[in-house]
Amino acid sequence: MIKRARLMGGFAALLALPGAGAWAQIAAVPQPPVAVQLPPPAIVPPAPIVLPPPLWDPRDAQALLFFIQGIGSEGLDPADYDPAGLIAALQLGNPTLVSGAATDRFNHLSSDLAFGHVRGDDRQDWHIPDKDLDPARQALLLQAALTQHRVPDALRGLLPSHPQYAALRHALEVTPATETAKVNRIRLNMDRWRWLPRDLGDRYIIVNVPAYTAALVEDGVTTSRHHAVAGKISTPTPQLSALATGVILNPWWEVPKSIEGEVRGKAGYVPFKDATGKILRWRQPPGPKNALGQLKFVMPNSKAIYLHDTNARSKFNSQVRAFSHGCIRTEHILALATKLLNEGVTIDGIPGGVEWTPDKIQAALTIQKTVQANFPKPLPVYIVYMSSAALVDGTIKDYTDVYKRDGKAIAALLDQKPADAKPPAAKVVATK
């Protein structure tokens, strides 16, 4: 009763305050219940399901071990795949332990065979995607290898199929291990082939910057080879791939911003302006003085690099041909383009017509009208950096490492850090 009296007294005091009538009205009206707004429950993603490794037959694990121990013949280091750890697991005889150890090594090795041991920035200006292996395919590959008991075959199937890789592999086999600098350079260029997609296509153009060459390859055979001029040291040509869909005949040259100061206001260059008269860029019209010559390839890519003709053809006679701002000047490119434009198409097995005959191409060049001519069959272009090539007899052809990329890449291959830009010490790997 005392508590109730105090409560009523307090309420009476409240009503005695100014404006207390409103309080009284509110108190007299029954109030609906107020729903409490709770914060939404936090969405917690389910934990990923980690499946146990597939069960390995000891014979398959032993086959994997032998493959690792002989991986030096592919220019890789067996120690990178810890054969000793797999031996220890096999000796313990625990199936779970063996399966885990073997799966880890299979995944590590298959990734290196598909993509190369050198990764990321150590490749230096590399922009060629390689989708040869992803986690899903890797898991399927392993499962099939274990089901069929063909682990070595599954791993060999990831190696480059290009004849040059096989030639380098043979060169590594016949080169004495004591010639460490030569061995490391061969191993690096084998790894560079692993950086590329395993299947380059039935028809493609491949540009090797250190060799200053561009080659058309059809069904594995080089059908034409051209001298090329690549980027100078201050403007190196990146490594990339692009799909060539045609050529621009009598092209305008859109002067890059980086060198605009060299041509601004000079005779033979035209300013491109917006509606207000502001100069957006400088261009060079078609003609005998055009830096792109008579044509350029249409091959869109993020680096704006393409193959083109030149008005300075004497440069093709130089032994070192690093003169461009990054693009590839290609000797006899008109003959190459004419061949690609005249391949024709087949419809239901019947040869179709050719739009750009040699006569039509020459007529377009003569009138100097800018026009795009599309290839009946587009083809990929790969721009790579192979500092060594191998002949069929195992002889090595070394090219000048014009952009000084080998040292850093070899250090990464050997899992070392380059010291003062000097060639890293060799890590001798058994190759036989």
Side-chain angles (χ1 to χ4, degrees), residues 70-129:
I71 202 62
S73 63
E74 305 297 341
L76 297 171
D77 185 359
D80 288 335
Y81 313 101
D82 187 23
L86 184 55
I87 291 173
L90 284 165
Q91 289 176 340
L92 289 175
N94 184 318
T96 301
L97 186 61
V98 170
S99 297
T103 297
D104 287 346
R105 285 154 182 79
F106 180 93
N107 289 341
H108 185 186
L109 182 54
S110 60
S111 294
D112 278 6
L113 293 178
F115 302 128
H117 187 74
V118 178
R119 309 281 180 91
D121 292 341
D122 290 323
R123 294 184 178 185
Q124 302 163 85
D125 213 4
W126 177 267
H127 309 279
I128 301 178

Side-chain angles (χ1 to χ4, degrees), residues 48 52 75 85 101 107 112 150 154 158 172 187 205 233 293 326 338 387:
N107 289 341
D112 278 6
R150 298 179 62 181
L158 297 171
L172 180 64
R187 292 178 60 202
I205 293 172
I233 295 175
T338 301
S387 58

